[in-house]
Amino acid sequence: MTETQSLDYDVLVVGAGGAGLRAAIEAAAAGVRVGLVCKSLLGKAHTVMAEGGVAAALAHVDDRDSWRVHFADTMRGGQYVNHPRMAELHAQEAPERVRELETWGALFDRTKDGRILQRNFGGHRYPRLAHVGDRTGLEMIRTLQDHGIHQGIEVHMEVTVVDLLKDGDRIAGCVAYDRDRGRLRVFRAGAVVLATGGIGRAFRITSNSWEYTGDGQSLAYHAGADLLDMEFVQFHPTGMVWPPSVRGILVTEGVRGEGGVLRNSDGKRFMFADIPDNYRGQTADNEEEGWRYCQGDKDARRPPELLTRDHVARCIMREVKAGRGSPHGGVFLDIAWIKARVPNGADHIRRKLPSMYHQFKELAGIDITAVPMEVGPTTHYVMGGIRVDPDTQMSTVAGLFAAGECAAGLHGANRLGGNSLSDLIVFGKRAGEHAARFARENPAPPVDGAQVAAAQQRVLAPFERSVQGENAYAVQHALQDTMQDLVGIVRNEDEMAEALRQIDALKVRADNVGVGGHREYNPGWHTAIDLRNLLTVSEAVTRAALLRRESRGGHFRDDFPDKDKHWGGVNLAIRKGEDGGMVVEERPVVAMTEAQQAIIAEMA
Amino acid sequence: MAQATFQIFRGDSKGGALQTYTTDVGEGMVALDCVHQIQAESAPDLAVRWNCKAGKCGSCSAEVNGRPRLLCMTRMADLPEGEPVRIEPMHTFPLLRDLVTDVSWNYGVKKKIAKFAPRKPDAADGSWRMQQEDIDRVQEFRKCIECYLCQDVCHVLRDHAKHDEFAGPRFFVYTAALEMHPIDTGDRIDAVKDEQNIGYCNITKCCTTVCPEGITITDNAIIPLKERVADKHYDPLLWLARKLGIGDGETGAGA
Amino acid sequence: MATTAVPTDRLRFGRPAGFAQTARRDAWWIEPVLTLVGLGSFVVYATWAALQGKFYYIGNLLSPFYSPEIWGPSPHAMFGPQPAWLPWPSFLPFSAAILVLAIPGNFRLTCYYYRGAYYKAFWADPPACGVGEPARGSYLGERTLPLVMQNVHRYFLYGAILVWFFLVHDVWKAVWFLQADGTEALGLSVGGVVLAVNVVLLWFYCTGCHSLRHLIGGRLKVFSKHPMQHMAWKVVTWLNCRHKLFAWCSLFSVGFSDIYVRLCAMGVWHDLRLFMI
C-alpha cells in the first residue's frame, strides 16, 4: 500500500453510535482535536435500531422513582455481578444526560403536563423509559449526530480499524483502512475511545447488523487489555422468526409494555406458569392485573411477559422444544387482543408501535393489529466486554478507553431493557471527558512503523492468496453455526468443549482466507478482515462460559442449571497470555459500599 | 423455490454494465437478500451498502426497476414475476462501485444549516414544557432515516444537477423540523430562500412518493417552508404589518 | 455471464438522462397524459365559454364562469349593462366572465397541486418521477421571474373565497322561482342542485389550500397556546390531504355547471324542477 494517509488527533473515537458520538462531543467540548471513525455512514450505527426507550429515573410518570430504585433494579437484573460503582453512576447521571439531549433538539413523547413521558419496561420497577414511539434510538443518534457535526469533530466514514498501535504500555493510535477505496490510514492519537458495540454477528440468529463483529473487544484484547464477563450474552426473547430472511430482527419489548402477551400454540399464556421466586412479589398472578399494569395502574404488578429477558427467552425455548411453538418455530406475541380493551384499538396500536406495525407489514406482510406475531429468541447484546475503570472508562491499557456495549461492568449477568441507551450517553460522556484529559496530559507518542507494517501485511494477505484461499463467507457462516448451536441460549460442558475445537480449526481456515478482485468496496475482503475479531470474541465467550459452572442471567447451562454461591462472587477476566494464548482468570466481584448495600436492602 | 433473474449494475465511475445473475428466491425474501445470495454464490466482490436490514438505517438505497427504494424493504413477492429485476445504484450521487454511491455531499449540506438554538428553559427544573400537539409535526420529520432516496429522485438534483445551490428534500425536512420545533429560536427562512434555494422545487412530489418512512415531505415540510418564505419576502401586506409593528410574534412574519 | 450495456453517463453525477429515459416499467406516462387531457380540455372549453358573452344565464340560473356579473346584459348583473366608459376591444364580444375569471383561474394556476401536475404534464419538467427530461438550457424553477409569481397564491385565495360567496348567493337565487303572479316561490330544480354541489366542492377545494393551511395555523410554532387555530389547522389539514381530489372534482363541477346552464339557455334541454314549496 503506497498511498497511506496519516492523521493526527488528541482523541480518536472508534465507533459512531450513541456512545461514540457522545464521547466525541464531550472530548471536543474539552477543546482537544477529535477524530471519529465509523464503519458505516454516520448515523447508521446500530443505535438506530433501539426501540423501547432510554432508562432514566426522571420520575415524571411515577414520582416514587429515583436513582436509588434504578440502581437497585440494575443490580438485581444483573444478578449482583455488576460493577456497583458503574450501576450507581449510571442511575445517578442518566436523567441529566436525557435532559441534555432535549437541549440539543431531541423530542421525546410528552406527558399531559408537557414533560418527557416514560414507559414501563422489563425489570424496571416504575415507568422509566423516555421514548419516542418505538424509534427512540433513531431520535438519540440523530440528536447526537446533528449536534456533533457542529462541534469541530472530524468524521471518517466507512473506515474500519484493524489494529491498535502502542508505545510501550500506552496507546499510540491505530491502523485502519477506508472501505470505499481500500486505502490504509494511520491515526496517531493520545487517547483512543472504543465504542464499537457488540458481537452479535458471531451467532447465526441475531438482531445485530454486519458491523457487530466484536471489533472493539478484539482490538483491545490484542492490544493487551482485559475483557470481562464475556460469557454473558443476552438473547432477546422476541426476534422475528419469519420470513427466514429477517429472522432475528428485533421485536421491541415495548410491544409487551403496551399489553402484548405471549401465547403458545394451545393459546395459553405460558409465562404465568414460571415466575422466578425473586420476582414473584412484583409480578401479577392474573391476566387482569397484568393488563391494568400496562394501562398505568400504579397498584398493579407487572405481567410475567415483562420479566427479565433471559428468563422470557428460556421460557419461549421451552415451549418450542415441547412442541407448543408456532408454525415457524417461535411462539405467538399478540398485541391485537387489546382491541377488546381499548377504543379504536387498531389506531392505538399503530400510534404506539409505528415501527413495529411498519416492520411486520413491510417485511412479513402481517398486520399486527389483526393477527399475532411469531417471535423467538435472537442474539441481541453482550453484557461483557472491555474491562474499564467505572469513573474514567479507561481500560487496563493506558490511554485506551471504552464505552457502550463494548465495555463491561454496568449490566452484570443481564441487561435491563432501556439501560443500554442510557449506558451510551452516561459512559460515552465520561469516556470522552477522561480521554480528553488523558490526551492533554499525555500527548500522542510517535507511531511505530514496524507495527504499522505488520498490520498492513496482515490486512493485505488475503489478496496474495487470491481466490485459491478459503472463502471468507464460508468461514464466517461456519463460525456462526458453531456459536449458535453450541454456545447459544442453553449451554453445556461437552458442547462448549466441541465449540472450542471447532474454533481452533476455524482459526486455521481463517488464516488461509483469500479474496479476489480489487480493494474498492470489496465486501469479501471486509468479511475476511472481520474474521479475526469474530474468532477472538467467540473464543472469549466460549472459554468464559465453559469456566462458569452455574447458570446466571444471560448464561444458562443445563448441566449446572442453578446459581452458585462461589460463582456469584466472581467475574471472569480474559487477557492475552505471554504465549499468545487466551487466559481466563477469576476476579472477585467488586464489593458494594455500605450505602449501596443499604439501598439494595431497602428496595428488596 | 423459484428462480429469479437479476440485472445488476457492475462498474465504477469509469464505466460499467448491467450484469445478469440468476438465483433462487425463497419465501419472504427481499431484494437485498437476493443481492447477498448472489454475492455469496457468484460475485463475492459485488459492492452493496447495507446495515440494519429492517428499513431503519437507510443504508441500502438503490433503484429497483427504475424506482428509488430500500433494497431491504423491497419484497420479491411484490415484483412482477418472470421479469428480470433490474437493480442500479442511485443516479444522483457519484458512483463508487456497483450499487454503492458517494453520498457525502448530503453531509456537507446539513452542516451548513444553522443548528438548533433553544430558547431559555422556562420550567423550574431547568427544562421546558412542550405539549404533544406541539411536537407531533416535528416528530414526523424526525422519522427520517437519511436514506437520501428523496434526494435521488428529485429532478432538480437528478436532471438539473443543482447540487451546488439546492439543498434537496431531505434538508427541507430537516430545516422544517428546526423551524417548527417549539423551543427553537433560530430563523432559517432567509437561508431557505437564498442558500437552500427552495424556489428550485417545483412541487412534483416525487420525494414524497419514494419516502420509505412515509413522511409527507412536500405538503408538510416543503410547502410550509415556501409559505414561510412568502410571508417574509413575497407578501406585501405582511411586509407592511411588520413595518407597522403589527403581528402576533409567533412567526417570522410577525417577529 | 451475460452483460447488457447500460448508458453509464446516466449514472454519473450531473449528467442528465435523455427525454423519457427511465428504467421504470410501470405506465408512468398515464398520469401526465390524463392531466394534459383533463386540464387542457378545461382550459380550452373555459376560454371558449368565457369569450361567448351569451347563453350564460337562464331565469334564476347563472353560470359560475360569469359570476359575479359586474356588468352585463343579464338580470343578474350587479350594475347593469356594460358602461360606456369601459373600453373593450372591438374584436371580442363583451363578456362579464373575462372580468372575473382571472381570480379563480389564477387561484388554480398558482395552486400547489396544479403546479406540480402541470409542470409534469405540460413542461415535462420532469415528465414523471425518475423519468428523463427533454434537453433544454437552464433550469430556473420558481426562483426567478416569471414563476416566482407563484408565491402570490394566497392573494388569489383571498379573491377566490370572495368569489365563492357570490356563487353561494347564486345558489340562493337559484332556489327562488318567479311565479305567474309576479311573486317568487321557493323550490328546487336540477340546476339548483348542480350549482349547490359545485359550491360545496369549491369550498372543499378552497379550504384545503396549502396557503390557507399555513395562514390559519401552520405558521405557528406552538399550537397549544392557540387551540382555536390548531383546531382550524387540523380541519384544513384534513381537506389538504384531499386537495388533489377536490381540485379535480371542483374543476369538473364548475365546468359542468357552465355547460348545464349554457345548454338550458340554448334550449337544448330544460331545467327540470324537482319540487316547489
Side-chain angles (χ1 to χ4, degrees):
Chain A
M1 266 187 214
T2 45
E3 29 169 357
T4 299
Q5 198 184 358
S6 290
L7 296 130
D8 202 342
Y9 295 107
D10 295 316
V11 173
L12 181 74
V13 180
V14 184
L21 278 164
R22 188 63 192 81
I25 288 169
E26 197 63 23
V32 300
R33 293 165 306 147
V34 181
L36 178 61
V37 167
C38 50
K39 217 167 158 182
S40 50
L41 296 172
L42 185 61
K44 310 294 183 195
H46 221 53
T47 307
V48 298
M49 298 291 283
E51 293 157 347
V54 43
L58 295 158
H60 286 174
V61 173
D62 194 321
D63 57 15
R64 291 173 296 180
D65 202 10
S66 70
W67 76 263
R68 295 153 60 87
V69 189
H70 193 183
F71 166 74
D73 286 349
T74 302
M75 290 301 291
R76 186 180 46 233
Q79 315 250 347
Y80 302 103
V81 293
N82 335 41
H83 196 307
R85 173 67 179 158
M86 280 182 85
E88 180 181 70
L89 286 171
H90 168 256
Q92 287 172 333
E93 295 178 4
E96 191 45 42
R97 294 285 83 75
V98 169
R99 286 196 202 99
E100 178 179 75
L101 291 176
E102 209 164 64
T103 70
W104 295 342
L107 285 174
F108 294 99
D109 288 352
R110 317 307 294 182
T111 61
K112 289 259 185 297
D113 64 349
R115 298 189 294 172
I116 295 171
L117 181 62
Q118 296 180 277
R119 69 156 56 120
N120 282 312
F121 232 61
H124 292 281
R125 183 175 294 196
Y126 301 117
R128 189 176 285 147
L129 269 69
H131 60 277
V132 188
D134 51 9
R135 53 163 193 85
T136 314
L138 173 65
E139 182 73 10
M140 211 168 98
I141 199 168
R142 200 66 78 226
T143 302
L144 292 169
Q145 174 191 345
D146 294 350
H147 181 72
I149 56 174
H150 297 286
Q151 307 306 307
I153 300 161
E154 278 183 35
V155 183
H156 302 267
M157 297 197 283
E158 301 197 304
V159 169
T160 300
V161 175
V162 291
D163 253 327
L164 294 176
L165 296 171
K166 285 179 73 181
D167 178 44
D169 286 335
R170 68 162 289 184
I171 208 78
C174 69
V175 180
Y177 71 100
D178 60 30
R179 301 172 78 86
D180 53 356
R181 310 261 185 232
R183 288 169 306 201
L184 206 69
R185 292 191 194 186
V186 177
F187 291 92
R188 177 168 164 256
V192 172
V193 179
L194 295 172
T196 56
I199 64 163
R201 279 281 142 179
F203 294 81
R204 190 175 60 235
I205 300 174
T206 175
S207 62
N208 293 188
S209 82
W210 63 266
E211 288 192 278
Y212 299 92
T213 49
D215 296 10
Q217 292 89 339
S218 169
L219 289 168
Y221 167 84
H222 289 290
D226 282 8
L227 305 182
L228 196 76
D229 293 339
M230 290 298 287
E231 70 275 28
F232 296 122
V233 175
Q234 184 173 75
F235 298 91
H236 194 287
T238 57
M240 291 177 81
V241 298
W242 191 92
S245 61
V246 294
R247 188 167 190 131
I249 290 179
L250 210 62
V251 179
T252 175
E253 195 166 323
V255 175
R256 285 169 281 147
E258 295 295 341
V261 298
L262 291 166
R263 293 185 201 280
N264 61 21
S265 57
D266 302 333
K268 186 178 167 227
R269 272 181 80 175
F270 54 85
M271 288 305 299
F272 278 109
D274 185 0
I275 298 169
D277 288 337
N278 58 334
Y279 280 98
R280 202 170 291 279
Q282 15 172 309
T283 308
D285 53 14
N286 63 79
E287 301 196 3
E288 194 51 43
E289 185 178 4
W291 169 245
R292 282 194 284 120
Y293 176 86
C294 293
Q295 288 300 95
D297 182 340
K298 290 182 184 177
D299 297 325
R301 294 170 299 174
R302 73 188 57 244
E305 276 85 359
L306 290 177
L307 284 163
T308 53
R309 290 175 171 180
D310 58 309
H311 180 73
V312 180
R314 277 194 303 276
C315 288
I316 292 175
M317 286 289 284
R318 186 192 60 215
E319 292 302 306
V320 174
K321 281 195 173 146
R324 295 190 293 268
S326 68
H328 299 100
V331 294
F332 295 106
L333 172 59
D334 187 5
I335 184 75
W337 80 278
I338 71 166
K339 286 191 292 187
R341 302 294 188 99
V342 185
N344 292 324
D347 281 344
H348 176 84
I349 295 167
R350 276 192 290 267
R351 198 173 57 247
K352 286 287 184 181
L353 302 162
S355 318
M356 280 303 108
Y357 175 77
H358 193 226
Q359 181 174 316
F360 274 87
K361 194 90 190 156
E362 300 281 325
L363 293 173
I366 283 171
D367 179 359
I368 64 167
T369 67
V371 292
M373 297 159 251
E374 280 188 68
V375 296
T378 176
T379 314
H380 183 50
Y381 190 88
V382 58
M383 274 68 75
I386 301 160
R387 187 158 80 84
V388 291
D389 176 83
D391 290 82
T392 65
Q393 297 288 295
M394 189 159 87
S395 72
T396 49
V397 170
L400 181 64
F401 296 76
E405 187 174 352
C406 75
L410 169 61
H411 308 295
N414 188 32
R415 175 177 70 83
L416 300 184
N419 269 2
S420 173
L421 288 185
S422 42
D423 175 9
L424 305 183
I425 46 178
V426 168
F427 293 107
K429 177 195 180 279
R430 284 186 162 266
E433 179 186 335
H434 290 282
R437 177 179 299 168
F438 181 92
R440 191 172 275 157
E441 290 166 1
N442 307 278
V447 162
D448 172 9
Q451 290 178 42
V452 175
Q456 172 173 339
Q457 196 271 330
R458 185 172 63 80
V459 166
L460 289 182
F463 284 113
E464 286 157 23
R465 289 184 290 268
S466 181
V467 285
Q468 278 79 46
E470 281 272 0
N471 181 315
Y473 295 106
V475 178
Q476 190 192 30
H477 291 158
L479 177 64
Q480 289 170 339
D481 287 342
T482 298
M483 293 303 286
Q484 185 77 36
D485 299 336
L486 305 177
V487 201
I489 301 177
V490 178
R491 301 164 172 170
N492 64 50
E493 179 100 28
D494 295 344
E495 288 182 352
M496 287 192 286
E498 171 58 22
L500 276 184
R501 279 191 292 279
Q502 293 186 9
I503 289 171
D504 277 338
L506 287 167
K507 281 192 204 164
V508 177
R509 286 177 67 187
D511 285 339
N512 284 311
V513 158
V515 294
H518 43 76
R519 302 220 303 255
E520 291 170 6
Y521 224 100
N522 186 334
W525 182 40
H526 303 161
T527 304
I529 291 173
D530 291 342
L531 280 178
R532 179 175 79 149
N533 301 335
L534 281 173
L535 283 160
T536 301
V537 294
S538 296
E539 185 182 346
V541 169
T542 310
R543 285 193 187 280
L546 197 54
L547 193 57
R548 184 176 283 276
R549 297 181 160 212
E550 65 154 356
S551 292
R552 182 179 297 271
H555 172 66
F556 184 84
R557 289 183 62 156
D558 59 6
D559 47 355
F560 298 97
D562 298 312
K563 269 191 257 190
D564 177 276
K565 194 159 181 295
H566 165 71
W567 293 107
V570 295
N571 295 111
L572 295 176
I574 294 164
R575 62 181 168 76
K576 200 174 191 172
E578 302 286 314
D579 61 350
M582 194 174 273
V583 179
V584 187
E585 285 171 344
E586 292 182 22
R587 293 177 56 89
V589 166
V590 178
M592 279 191 260
T593 62
E594 276 178 29
Q596 288 166 341
Q597 281 171 3
I599 296 172
I600 300 292
E602 179 194 333
M603 302 295 165
Chain B
M1 199 165 284
Q3 280 229 319
T5 306
F6 289 83
Q7 297 175 324
I8 299 177
F9 178 83
R10 301 297 309 270
D12 54 27
S13 56
K14 294 183 273 302
L18 288 176
Q19 197 132 345
T20 305
Y21 302 92
T22 49
T23 195
D24 290 332
V25 177
E27 201 181 3
M29 273 173 75
V30 294
L32 183 61
D33 295 322
C34 298
V35 171
H36 280 154
Q37 208 165 283
I38 289 165
Q39 222 175 37
E41 289 166 0
S42 51
D45 61 345
L46 166 57
V48 59
R49 186 184 273 137
W50 66 286
N51 208 317
C52 78
K53 227 172 126 354
K56 288 189 179 148
C57 76
S59 296
C60 59
S61 306
E63 300 188 6
V64 180
N65 290 343
R67 288 195 173 262
R69 313 196 51 152
L70 295 178
L71 291 176
C72 74
M73 298 303 274
T74 305
R75 301 181 75 200
M76 292 303 294
D78 298 338
L79 297 175
E81 217 175 313
E83 280 179 37
V85 179
R86 179 166 167 162
I87 306 181
E88 292 172 67
M90 290 193 282
H91 288 200
T92 298
F93 307 112
L95 185 62
L96 286 174
R97 266 203 86 81
D98 304 340
L99 300 178
V100 180
T101 51
D102 177 3
V103 294
S104 55
W105 170 77
N106 293 286
Y107 289 88
V109 174
K110 185 188 257 187
K111 212 167 171 173
K112 282 189 249 162
I113 298 168
K115 64 185 268 194
F116 175 68
R119 63 173 149 82
K120 281 216 164 61
D122 44 16
D125 60 1
S127 67
W128 298 267
R129 294 289 174 270
M130 289 178 255
Q131 295 302 314
Q132 186 64 40
E133 68 250 40
D134 296 328
I135 65 170
D136 280 338
R137 279 187 301 186
V138 185
Q139 285 190 332
E140 182 196 6
F141 303 145
R142 292 184 67 94
K143 286 195 302 187
C144 172
I145 57 173
E146 300 199 330
C147 62
Y148 305 125
L149 289 173
C150 56
Q151 307 285 76
D152 179 43
V153 80
C154 176
H155 77 126
V156 180
L157 301 168
R158 187 184 181 93
D159 293 290
H160 302 295
K162 296 284 184 194
H163 296 72
D164 294 339
E165 301 166 71
F166 185 63
R170 160 61 191 133
F171 297 105
F172 295 127
V173 168
Y174 177 74
T175 309
L178 289 166
E179 285 295 303
M180 296 182 197
H181 196 300
I183 60 171
D184 176 74
T185 57
D187 182 352
R188 301 162 189 83
I189 296 306
D190 289 342
V192 166
K193 175 177 172 284
D194 296 322
E195 290 161 34
Q196 303 183 9
N197 281 309
I198 199 170
Y200 276 129
C201 166
N202 67 347
I203 343 163
T204 55
K205 298 201 180 183
C206 296
C207 49
T208 304
T209 53
V210 300
C211 179
E213 283 294 304
I215 301 171
T216 316
I217 300 175
T218 317
D219 294 298
N220 288 353
I222 297 182
I223 295 176
L225 284 179
K226 280 187 174 247
E227 286 295 316
R228 281 166 171 74
V229 170
D231 278 348
K232 209 168 171 187
H233 294 278
Y234 300 112
D235 188 324
L237 284 184
L238 284 181
W239 175 83
L240 194 66
R242 274 194 303 275
K243 288 281 166 212
L244 299 174
I246 312 167
D248 55 13
E250 282 287 336
T251 62
Chain C
M1 219 172 291
T3 59
T4 314
V6 65
T8 47
D9 60 338
R10 271 207 308 118
L11 293 163
R12 245 179 279 160
F13 194 65
R15 284 270 210 100
F19 179 46
Q21 218 183 69
T22 182
R24 278 177 70 168
R25 304 216 182 121
D26 57 330
W28 57 264
W29 46 270
I30 287 186
E31 193 167 335
V33 165
L34 285 178
T35 307
L36 186 74
V37 171
L39 276 185
S41 22
F42 179 85
V43 168
V44 168
Y45 174 76
T47 310
W48 174 84
L51 291 175
Q52 295 308 298
K54 55 185 179 184
F55 299 130
Y56 61 87
Y57 68 97
I58 179 159
N60 54 356
L61 294 182
L62 176 65
S63 159
F65 283 1
Y66 284 76
S67 180
E69 187 178 10
I70 301 171
W71 296 286
S74 92
H76 298 278
M78 295 158 73
F79 304 108
Q82 179 193 4
W85 51 264
L86 187 71
W88 202 261
S90 55
F91 57 90
L92 282 181
F94 178 79
S95 163
I98 290 171
L99 295 176
V100 293
L101 212 50
I103 293 169
N106 280 314
F107 179 54
R108 285 186 197 263
L109 188 72
T110 58
C111 161
Y112 283 102
Y113 162 67
Y114 283 115
R115 274 144 74 178
Y118 65 71
Y119 290 138
K120 283 186 196 153
F122 288 76
W123 268 265
D125 201 2
C129 301
V131 176
E133 299 183 8
R136 59 192 135 207
S138 57
Y139 175 77
L140 301 172
E142 300 183 342
R143 237 176 103 247
T144 51
L145 281 170
L147 293 179
V148 72
M149 291 307 292
Q150 305 277 29
N151 283 302
V152 301
H153 183 49
R154 56 185 63 177
Y155 286 92
F156 290 115
L157 165 73
Y158 306 146
I161 289 176
L162 191 69
V163 168
W164 181 82
F165 282 102
F166 285 98
L167 299 187
V168 173
H169 186 235
D170 292 342
V171 174
W172 176 246
K173 285 192 293 183
V175 296
W176 290 99
F177 294 86
L178 192 63
Q179 303 295 96
D181 59 3
T183 62
E184 287 190 323
L186 197 60
L188 190 66
S189 69
V190 173
V193 172
V194 168
L195 293 191
V197 167
N198 180 42
V199 156
V200 170
L201 290 172
L202 283 172
W203 180 247
F204 284 165
Y205 171 59
C206 286
T207 51
C209 166
H210 290 88
S211 288
L212 183 63
R213 183 171 179 236
H214 169 73
L215 295 163
I216 212 160
R219 68 200 175 87
L220 297 171
K221 240 181 180 170
V222 182
F223 281 139
S224 55
K225 285 196 237 161
H226 307 271
M228 292 306 289
Q229 290 188 55
H230 184 217
M231 183 81 79
W233 177 81
K234 283 200 276 191
V235 172
V236 173
T237 296
W238 189 90
L239 288 160
N240 182 260
C241 291
R242 290 149 188 83
H243 203 41
K244 176 181 175 181
L245 174 74
F246 289 121
W248 283 103
C249 289
S250 65
L251 190 80
F252 178 80
S253 72
V254 76
F256 181 76
S257 301
D258 181 82
I259 292 174
Y260 184 88
V261 174
R262 187 166 299 278
L263 294 181
C264 287
M266 291 167 76
V268 176
W269 64 38
H270 293 283
D271 185 28
L272 181 69
R273 272 190 215 184
L274 298 171
F275 58 83
M276 297 295 295
I277 294 168

